[in-house]
């Protein structure tokens, strides 16, 4: 790699189509009348382009396959300029790989807005799916409806998506889907559901820098109650493992979040405001599948909790839960109506090094949950490996602040999972996996910003790269 390199970020390249391949235009007056027609002839590297206006719903596409070097893109001119309207579902991609869907709006579906799953011939799941700036609105009439659902998908990224104003049972539902990132998404105005659910054996999933507001049931549900046939793999034995919820804002949801049939999951550096039932629930609801493991070794750390006077209970612990394996520390609890009643009843869970009864001093208590310089949350957090950025994308400076926002705006190195069009980095138990459509070099840094080295990668998939708990930037040759 030549020393003269250029750092290229995703935001600069999102709008570019694949360098090679055809553009298949979709619309009532175009060569392809709907998405299914274009997908039937699409090849690796092609772009399926929806013209402005309303498009057909209930589009089932099977076997849409790009390659690591030539992704298939389904897109439109700008966010929400193409609307898929009505029907039971908007778009369903089954058994697909190396596909990106972006900018499309799904509106008024009764069952689901957008689905990626494994329907079709047995033995194959979807993988390497990238969803950006998709919007789902005003739907969910059916029982069990969802805004966005991923079933048995491996290696995926859901970025900047919105699920809003509907009766969805889940805004985003991740079912048996592993090694994924949900970032910078907003789920709001759900009249009967959860913002996001990560369940049925899902593992190594990050829910990062998102906002969940006015969800009738719960903001973030790690775990849940799944049918035995939903689990991937079928014998995984746990609803959710190794998931991370961090730098999120949860506002005016009945329950903030849950650890429900989870192990080694963390809720770190989040801000919870206005929860009315519980800040979080802990335990295992799914008692219907023999051998399913109970919740153990979860962490609730560095969170700001601002709650009203009337709250059902600060936490809910389900019967039979061993609370001794769970960690709670460095949280800030504030009863906004009666500050002297801020100490939470944690039902036997031991909490350490936390702050009670002090106003976190938000920039705007109603709308802006950044913290002011004099906030008692500044510098009171504890380091947590793998959690690098606050809600606004700034790197945490140690000792970090409590809550979703870091007070100190200075930044040395920041993490980017999607670093460039066609280049992604995801973590798993063996370190990091690099997927790239071109030759790249990646600089690696420790959490103090110290350079650890550079790795070079040809186009393809590379596993076991560097250990977890580091940050990176991608370098593209001129």
């Amino acid at each position: 790699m030549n020393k003269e390199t250029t750092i290229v970020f995703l935001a600069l390249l999102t709008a570019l189509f694949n360098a090679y391949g055809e553009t298949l235009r979709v619309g009532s007056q175009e060569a392809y009348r709907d998405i299914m027609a274009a997908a039937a002839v699409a090849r690796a590297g092609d772009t399926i382009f929806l013209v402005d206006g309303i498009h057909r719903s209930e589009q089932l596409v099977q076997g849409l396959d790009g390659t690591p070097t030539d992704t298939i893109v389904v897109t439109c001119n700008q966010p929400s300029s193409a609307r898929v309207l009505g029907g039971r579902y908007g778009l369903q991609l089954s058994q697909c790989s190396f596909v990106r869907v972006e900018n499309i709006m799904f509106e008024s579906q009764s069952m689901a807005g957008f689905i990626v799953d494994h329907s079709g011939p047995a033995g194959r799941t979807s993988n390497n799916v990238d969803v950006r700036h998709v919007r789902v609105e005003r739907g969910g009439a059916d029982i069990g409806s969802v805004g966005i659902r991923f079933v048995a998908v491996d290696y995926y990224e859901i970025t900047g998506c919105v699920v809003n104003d509907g009766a969805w049972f889940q805004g985003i539902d991740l079912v048996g889907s592993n090694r994924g990132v949900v970032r910078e998404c907003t789920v709001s105005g759900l009249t009967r559901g959860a913002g996001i659910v990560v369940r049925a054996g899902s593992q190594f999933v990050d829910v990062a820098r998102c906002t969940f507001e006015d969800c009738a049931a719960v903001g973030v549900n790690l775990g849940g109650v799944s049918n035995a046939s939903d689990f991937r793999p079928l014998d995984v034995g746990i609803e959710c493992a190794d998931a991370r919820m961090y730098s999120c804002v949860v506002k005016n949801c009945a329950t903030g979040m849950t650890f429900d049939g989870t192990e080694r999951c963390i809720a770190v550096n989040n801000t919870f405001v206005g929860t009315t039932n519980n800040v979080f629930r802990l335990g295992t609801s799914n008692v219907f599948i023999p051998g399913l493991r109970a919740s153990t070794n979860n962490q609730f750390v560095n969170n700001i909790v601002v709650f009203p006077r009337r709250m059902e209970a600060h936490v809910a612990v389900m019967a039979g839960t061993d609370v001794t394996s769970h960690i709670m520390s460095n949280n800030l609890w504030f009863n906004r109506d009666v500050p002297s009643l801020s100490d939470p009843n944690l039902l036997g869970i031991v909490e350490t090094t936390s702050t009670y009864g002090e106003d976190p001093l938000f920039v705007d208590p109603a709308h802006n949950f950044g913290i002011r310089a004099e906030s008692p949350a500044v510098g009171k957090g504890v380091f947590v490996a793998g959690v690098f950025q606050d809600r606004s994308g700034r790197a945490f400076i140690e000792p970090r602040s409590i809550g979703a926002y870091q007070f100190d705006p200075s930044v040395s190195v920041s993490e980017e999972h999607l670093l460039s069009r066609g280049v992604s980095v995801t973590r798993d138990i063996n370190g990091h996996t690099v997927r790239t459509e071109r030759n790249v070099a990646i600089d690696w840094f420790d959490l103090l910003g110290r350079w650890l080295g550079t790795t070079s990668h040809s186009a393809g998939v590379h596993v076991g790269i560097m250990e977890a708990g580091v940050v990176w930037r991608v370098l593209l040759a001129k």
Side-chain angles (χ1 to χ4, degrees):
M1 170 63 69
N2 192 300
K3 291 184 178 179
E4 294 184 358
T5 56
T6 303
I7 302 172
V8 181
F9 294 97
L10 168 67
L12 300 177
L13 296 173
T14 298
L16 294 180
F17 297 153
N18 288 349
Y20 306 99
E22 297 184 17
T23 297
L24 311 176
R25 294 177 62 87
V26 175
S28 61
Q29 305 300 316
E30 302 294 336
Y32 303 95
R33 301 294 298 274
D34 56 29
I35 298 172
M36 291 173 60
V41 300
R43 297 173 298 177
D46 286 350
T47 294
I48 299 173
F49 182 85
L50 280 63
V51 301
D52 292 359
I54 295 175
H55 292 262
R56 294 177 179 174
S57 61
E58 299 190 16
Q59 299 290 290
L60 173 58
V61 175
Q62 292 183 319
L64 189 64
D65 293 315
T67 69
T69 57
D70 290 297
T71 300
I72 294 177
V73 180
V74 184
T75 188
C76 58
N77 185 44
Q78 60 186 355
S80 301
S81 65
R83 297 166 58 208
V84 177
L85 184 63
R88 292 178 300 119
Y89 63 92
L91 172 62
Q92 180 175 350
L93 301 180
S94 295
Q95 298 189 349
C96 61
S97 63
F98 297 99
V99 174
R100 182 166 85 240
V101 178
E102 61 187 18
N103 294 340
I104 300 170
M105 181 173 182
F106 300 94
E107 185 176 353
S108 301
Q109 284 78 39
S110 63
M111 182 184 73
F114 175 53
I115 306 168
V116 182
D117 68 5
H118 63 302
S119 298
R124 183 185 167 193
T125 60
S126 293
N127 64 84
N128 293 278
V129 178
D130 178 7
V131 181
R132 310 178 191 175
H133 307 294
V134 160
R135 192 175 187 94
V136 182
E137 290 198 349
R138 290 181 290 279
D142 293 353
I143 299 296
S145 59
V146 296
I148 298 172
R149 171 171 282 161
F150 277 32
V151 182
V153 183
D154 290 329
Y155 299 106
Y156 57 91
E157 306 200 7
I158 303 174
T159 304
C161 295
V162 174
V163 180
N164 180 51
D165 188 22
W168 310 108
F169 276 73
Q170 290 93 29
I172 301 173
D173 189 21
L174 305 178
V175 184
S177 295
N178 302 302
R179 298 174 180 84
V181 180
V182 180
R183 73 162 71 77
E184 299 172 29
C185 294
T186 298
V187 180
S188 62
L190 303 192
T191 59
R192 57 177 181 176
I196 185 171
V197 183
V198 186
R199 62 187 180 94
S202 294
Q203 191 171 12
F204 297 113
V205 176
D206 283 1
V207 181
R209 301 167 55 199
C210 296
T211 297
F212 303 93
E213 183 172 0
D214 295 321
C215 299
V218 59
V220 176
N221 195 348
L222 302 182
V225 181
S226 304
N227 296 323
S229 59
D230 291 336
F231 282 79
R232 290 293 183 276
L234 293 175
D235 60 352
V236 65
I238 194 76
E239 284 278 359
C240 177
D242 301 292
R244 306 187 300 194
M245 169 195 178
Y246 66 89
S247 301
C248 293
V249 172
V250 180
K251 180 183 179 184
N252 297 339
C253 299
T255 295
M257 62 88 56
T258 68
F259 297 109
D260 189 354
T262 59
E263 57 188 14
R264 300 182 304 278
C265 292
I266 64 174
V268 175
N269 280 105
N270 303 291
T271 296
F272 298 87
V273 177
T275 53
T276 54
N277 290 353
N278 317 113
V279 176
F280 71 88
R281 294 199 307 265
L282 173 65
T284 306
S285 297
N286 196 339
V287 296
F288 310 105
I289 301 177
L292 202 63
R293 300 192 296 277
S295 287
T296 57
N297 298 300
N298 301 295
Q299 299 183 43
F300 189 84
V301 176
N302 293 350
N303 301 292
I304 290 178
V305 180
V306 176
F307 57 96
R309 179 175 184 174
R310 297 184 181 278
M311 176 181 281
E312 183 178 296
H314 300 100
V315 302
V317 177
M318 302 175 203
T321 301
D322 178 9
V323 299
T324 61
S325 70
H326 305 282
I327 295 174
M328 291 186 66
S329 73
N330 297 79
N331 301 300
L332 187 154
W333 300 77
F334 181 64
N335 184 324
R336 66 190 180 196
D337 298 320
V338 188
S340 62
L341 299 180
S342 295
D343 288 29
N345 180 357
L346 301 179
L347 302 179
I349 305 172
V350 176
E351 183 175 40
T352 60
T353 324
S354 293
T355 302
Y356 309 104
E358 295 190 43
D359 190 331
L361 299 177
F362 294 136
V363 173
D364 178 347
H367 304 290
N368 185 343
F369 303 117
I371 53 177
R372 303 202 297 263
E374 62 272 26
S375 169
V378 173
K380 296 295 182 59
V382 64
F383 167 76
V384 178
V387 176
F388 309 112
Q389 288 180 302
D390 77 350
R391 179 63 183 85
S392 62
R394 294 185 301 233
F396 285 113
I397 306 300
E398 306 300 338
R400 66 181 60 189
S401 300
I402 296 173
Y405 290 91
Q406 169 75 33
F407 169 69
D408 189 343
S410 62
V411 57
S412 56
V413 178
S414 62
E415 174 196 35
E416 289 291 339
H417 286 271
L418 264 177
L419 300 152
S420 169
R421 185 180 68 85
V423 183
S424 70
V425 181
T426 55
R427 67 183 178 96
D428 57 35
I429 196 169
N430 297 314
H432 295 84
T433 298
V434 176
R435 289 173 172 74
T436 177
E437 298 178 3
R438 69 198 74 185
N439 294 336
V440 297
I442 297 178
D443 271 349
W444 301 87
F445 301 83
D446 69 15
L447 298 173
L448 298 178
R450 296 175 297 198
W451 182 73
L452 299 176
T454 301
T455 57
S456 298
H457 308 279
S458 58
V461 179
H462 309 273
V463 300
I465 309 301
M466 298 297 286
E467 61 187 22
V470 297
V471 295
W472 56 83
R473 65 181 180 182
V474 67
L475 304 171
L476 302 182
K478 285 185 176 180

